Amino acid sequence: MTQQTIKVSIRGIRIEAEHIRSFELVATDGAALPAWQAGAHVQVTLPNSIQRAYSLCNHLGEHSGYRIAVKLEAQSRGGSRAMHALQVGQTLQISAPRNLFELDPSAQRHVLLAGGIGITPLYAMCNALQGMAACELHYFVRHPDQAAFLDRLGDQVVLHTGLDAAHTERTLADLVAHHADAPRTTFYTCGPSPFMAAVETALRTAKFPIERLRSERFSAEPPAPGYRNNAFHIVFAKSGIEADVPPGIPIIQVARECGVDIPTSCEQGVCGACLSEVLEGAPDHLDAYLSDAERTSGKLMLPCVSRCTGKTLVLNR
Ligand code: FES
């Protein structure tokens, strides 16, 4: 379960919009970086040991190296601030690319709906689809100064600026309605949670098949009301330690209190740092990291957010 890491250096930094910088990363040993497809992301380990996932967003025709883009968040928990403090020439560890947000090969039309910094994977998709398939990109931002990649996207993008929540919902409803008779259309969305929820609502309201919506989240969704926040018993098999996990207390907190070492970073179920092997028991997945196949297998879980549906969970920790 150890992730392959690659040492990269920053070859260039580009200001893409207000508070958004992109970073061009190349392998320090000069080797070619692993191939990737639009929608992929890498985990970046920052100099302060924080890990963050960033979508790859290379410019069109940019094949050597990876580009990621980061918005400096006013409420930064350390990730975006540390990224914006980086200089050209500094080195970082990154994971190999992982793609949980792939283009749909069965689609005849791709409708990309970006909210704010959620543009990054959709920008890569738009570039990948150029000249190959019908594609439209809608980009929602408060102000044009906050829109990244505009100089590269040109007239490929429809920019929606300054809309309040109600206006955004109406615009999304109109967009979906426009495609209501085109069942081979696939929608993609990435952005803040309320924006993505509005996209989903627009599709459901239009009775558009929800399985034709693909999305990428920055953080795990808050658990739905009624999720199993029960107490259960945990066994850390490798450490030979057992404990009770009370309702509302994360497994990693119990592990820490027992002296069981589980590496963590985001503690939001998005970075994969705490990925753990399940030996027994049924995990209740609350993360935004595992693929559907990994969830269904029941063999892996992210104990920073996920829990257990039964009475006992055994982890290989
Ligand atoms: Fe990031 Fe658990 S610490 S997924």
Side-chain angles (χ1 to χ4, degrees), residues 263-274 302 304:
T264 60
S265 180
C266 71
E267 302 198 3
Q268 292 190 89
V270 291
C271 76
C274 65
L302 284 310
C304 62

Side-chain angles (χ1 to χ4, degrees), residues 43 50-54 73 75-80 193 217-223 250 252 256 263-275 285-290 295 301-306:
Q43 296 286 343
I50 287 179
Q51 286 190 331
R52 290 289 182 266
Y54 295 114
E73 300 289 353
Q75 305 295 328
S76 172
R77 293 182 307 119
S80 68
S193 290
R217 297 190 182 283
F218 301 141
S219 61
E221 280 289 270
I252 50 165
R256 268 184 211 127
T264 60
S265 180
C266 71
E267 302 198 3
Q268 292 190 89
V270 291
C271 76
C274 65
L275 186 68
H285 296 293
L286 298 168
D287 64 279
Y289 178 85
L290 294 178
R295 280 162 202 267
M301 72 178 293
L302 284 310
C304 62
V305 290
S306 296

Side-chain angles (χ1 to χ4, degrees), residues 6-313:
I6 306 163
K7 191 171 180 189
V8 293
S9 66
I10 299 171
R11 184 160 68 185
I13 298 176
R14 187 171 187 266
I15 294 173
E16 301 288 357
E18 190 179 291
H19 303 312
I20 299 177
R21 290 182 185 183
S22 75
F23 301 82
E24 188 190 0
L25 309 176
V26 291
T28 51
D29 62 5
L33 291 169
W36 61 283
Q37 303 290 327
H41 67 269
V42 292
Q43 296 286 343
V44 176
T45 305
L46 289 153
N48 56 8
S49 299
I50 287 179
Q51 286 190 331
R52 290 289 182 266
Y54 295 114
S55 298
L56 296 179
C57 53
N58 287 30
H59 296 318
L60 193 64
E62 184 177 43
H63 298 302
S64 72
Y66 296 155
R67 185 173 295 276
I68 57 174
V70 182
K71 180 185 176 195
L72 178 62
E73 300 289 353
Q75 305 295 328
S76 172
R77 293 182 307 119
S80 68
R81 201 176 310 118
M83 282 298 304
H84 275 242
L86 294 171
Q87 306 288 329
V88 170
Q90 273 188 268
T91 59
L92 297 165
Q93 293 285 348
I94 64 168
S95 70
R98 177 178 164 90
N99 200 343
L100 302 175
F101 191 38
E102 294 175 342
L103 284 165
D104 178 1
S106 73
Q108 287 180 346
R109 171 163 284 274
H110 305 262
V111 180
L112 315 176
L113 303 172
I117 191 61
I119 185 66
T120 51
L122 301 175
Y123 173 66
M125 288 174 165
C126 189
N127 285 337
L129 290 167
Q130 261 209 1
M132 290 169 55
C135 165
E136 55 188 83
L137 170 61
H138 295 266
Y139 189 3
F140 293 73
V141 286
R142 287 214 186 99
H143 189 277
D145 290 350
Q146 298 169 337
F149 311 128
L150 278 193
D151 55 334
R152 304 266 172 171
L153 284 164
D155 58 8
Q156 297 176 89
V157 64
V158 180
L159 196 61
H160 303 268
T161 58
L163 307 188
D164 61 17
H167 198 168
T168 299
E169 284 165 19
R170 282 200 302 278
T171 304
L172 289 169
D174 289 348
L175 276 170
V176 173
H178 184 69
H179 295 284
D181 297 327
R184 300 294 298 279
T185 296
T186 295
F187 288 84
Y188 306 78
T189 186
C190 184
S193 290
F195 176 79
M196 294 172 69
V199 170
E200 191 174 329
T201 300
L203 265 81
R204 288 191 189 281
T205 305
K207 301 206 168 6
F208 203 92
I210 202 68
E211 59 275 11
R212 298 207 70 96
L213 171 65
R214 297 186 172 202
S215 51
E216 174 98 314
R217 297 190 182 283
F218 301 141
S219 61
E221 280 289 270
Y227 87 107
R228 292 170 288 269
N229 188 18
N230 55 312
F232 55 95
H233 190 69
I234 189 142
V235 180
F236 300 108
K238 215 185 264 177
S239 315
I241 291 174
E242 302 188 18
D244 290 324
V245 181
I249 302 297
I251 294 173
I252 50 165
Q253 184 176 327
V254 173
R256 268 184 211 127
E257 286 164 7
C258 298
V260 176
D261 181 35
I262 300 180
T264 60
S265 180
C266 71
E267 302 198 3
Q268 292 190 89
V270 291
C271 76
C274 65
L275 186 68
S276 299
E277 188 182 356
V278 179
L279 299 178
E280 271 179 54
D284 190 7
H285 296 293
L286 298 168
D287 64 279
Y289 178 85
L290 294 178
S291 65
D292 289 345
E294 287 167 332
R295 280 162 202 267
T296 309
S297 80
K299 301 287 183 214
L300 296 171
M301 72 178 293
L302 284 310
C304 62
V305 290
S306 296
R307 300 184 67 80
C308 168
T309 62
K311 288 194 164 52
T312 302
L313 185 69

